[in-house]
Amino acid sequence: MKKKKIVIALGHHALGTTLPEQKKAAAGTAKVIAGFIKEDYQVVITHGNGPQAGMIHMAMAEFCRIYPEYTATPMSVCSAMSQGYIGYDLQNAIHTELLNCGIYKAVSTVLTQVVVDPYDDAFYHPTKVIGRVMNAEDAELEERKGNHVVEVPGGFRRIIAAPKPMDIIEAESIRALLDADQVGIACGGGGIPVLRQGNSLKGASAIIEKDLAAARLACAVDADLLLILTGVRKVCLRFGTAEEIAVDKMTVDEARGYLTAGEFEAGSMAPKIEAAVDFVGSSDKRKTVITRLKEEKPDRVIAGGTVILNAKE
């Protein structure tokens, strides 16, 4: 019998923020992932990296400020560093949990590059805030470098673009891991954003929306299920109001309608719904589930969330 393929997209709540938080959170998350593997799923994991990439960016920026002779660290390199750092904790936690269950299976982190369009409108309208709070003098220096800054309470912060993912460079390597029945961790933080320049790939000053990259990854491995783990149990309409309604199921057409109506918050639930629509598309075989990480048993995780599918069952 052919195994089902699942892409599990881990949000902030599944990873924590600080080094000790991440190590502890990864151990708990590994129990859920091991549950899917015990149920004979082929698993690929992807994850966010907002706090981690921000921490790395701030640390490297401060280092270069103290030691001006060192070159500033590009955002693409910060993204690569965060993939290694998060993947290290995740793969070790999953490896340990699998051995505790008597399962001998390799777990690997793939340093993943994701192609973006240099003409993506996001490059002209950057929205992602990163880095430390700066004073006016430091903000001016950033602008002289060609970077964008925005005023925030207490000073200024840098903002960068969030272009859409176009292609996954290491897709074949990720599929090879699945074909070998191994566990892969890929496209961390949305992937390392790169631009094609002839035969070369050049890092882009950007952050890719992790949920959209998760959908691209799920399509690339021909997954049956995309599981997006977030901070709420179900997707809600009129979220945060007295008329809030939790949704058990919605079709792709309904999801598109809600997006057009502005039902979901940009940068929060909206990209998750967009990812669900992108992945499911017109297929009757694919599903997306959006939920929080509270259960360990696979059937309970899936049943507890909102299912997005092509047509109502």
Side-chain angles (χ1 to χ4, degrees):
M1 183 177 176
K2 185 180 177 181
K3 291 186 176 183
K4 287 188 176 181
K5 295 179 184 176
I6 182 173
V7 170
I8 303 176
L10 307 176
H12 165 67
H13 294 272
L15 288 175
T17 300
T18 65
L19 274 70
E21 279 182 7
Q22 178 174 297
K23 197 173 185 68
K24 182 179 179 181
T29 300
K31 293 181 182 297
V32 177
I33 293 166
F36 279 96
I37 294 168
K38 283 192 289 185
E39 292 293 328
D40 224 19
Y41 279 86
Q42 287 187 314
V43 177
V44 180
I45 300 131
T46 187
H47 57 80
N49 72 342
Q52 293 84 355
M55 177 184 67
I56 292 167
H57 179 267
M58 289 173 67
M60 299 308 292
E62 186 66 10
F63 179 80
C64 292
R65 187 185 68 80
I66 297 172
Y67 301 100
E69 65 271 24
Y70 284 87
T71 305
T73 307
M75 199 61 219
S76 56
V77 175
C78 292
S79 178
M81 293 169 74
S82 74
Q83 281 192 14
Y85 155 48
I86 297 169
Y88 164 66
D89 273 348
L90 275 176
Q91 69 183 39
N92 284 344
I94 297 166
H95 175 76
T96 298
E97 189 59 35
L98 289 177
L99 288 179
N100 289 342
C101 297
I103 299 172
Y104 299 87
K105 193 183 292 284
V107 186
S108 304
T109 300
V110 179
L111 202 64
T112 317
Q113 303 173 95
V114 176
V115 178
V116 297
D117 183 352
Y119 301 106
D120 191 303
D121 190 56
F123 284 109
Y124 304 97
H125 302 94
T127 57
K128 291 286 185 180
V129 179
I130 61 165
R132 65 185 177 90
V133 177
M134 301 176 285
N135 58 31
E137 183 180 355
D138 288 344
E140 185 178 350
L141 287 174
E142 283 294 324
E143 289 185 321
R144 286 179 187 173
K145 296 176 190 176
N147 296 325
H148 298 276
V149 299
V150 63
E151 191 168 1
V152 298
F156 300 84
R157 292 182 71 186
R158 187 179 165 193
I159 55 171
I160 62 175
K164 292 186 177 181
M166 304 296 293
D167 189 25
I168 298 172
I169 297 297
E170 289 75 22
E172 189 172 339
S173 298
I174 300 163
R175 286 192 290 266
L177 286 175
L178 280 177
D179 289 343
D181 202 26
Q182 298 180 14
V183 181
I185 301 167
C187 288
I192 304 164
V194 294
L195 304 169
R196 289 191 188 274
Q197 295 187 344
N199 290 334
S200 300
L201 298 170
K202 180 182 178 181
S205 182
I207 292 177
I208 299 170
E209 177 55 64
K210 69 182 189 307
D211 297 312
L212 299 183
R216 183 68 60 176
L217 175 62
C219 290
V221 301
D222 193 24
D224 301 284
L225 176 64
L226 170 60
L227 176 62
I228 300 177
L229 297 175
T230 185
V232 294
R233 184 169 178 265
K234 292 180 183 288
V235 176
C236 293
L237 303 178
R238 298 184 285 281
F239 181 72
T241 71
E243 293 80 32
E244 180 177 298
I245 301 173
V247 180
D248 294 324
K249 291 181 181 179
M250 69 173 76
T251 66
V252 167
D253 287 342
E254 288 171 339
R256 288 194 185 104
Y258 292 137
L259 285 169
T260 301
E263 184 68 53
F264 305 116
E265 183 180 353
S268 181
M269 186 55 72
K272 293 172 177 55
I273 301 298
E274 289 174 21
V277 170
D278 287 349
F279 170 62
V280 175
S282 59
S283 173
D284 291 329
K285 298 179 181 180
R286 294 177 174 179
K287 295 180 182 178
T288 298
V289 175
I290 301 174
T291 191
R292 66 185 177 188
L293 192 63
K294 287 293 183 182
E295 300 284 352
E296 290 186 12
K297 293 186 178 296
D299 57 342
R300 291 184 180 178
V301 173
I302 293 171
T306 299
V307 179
I308 294 94
L309 63 172
N310 186 44
K312 288 185 177 179
E313 295 180 335

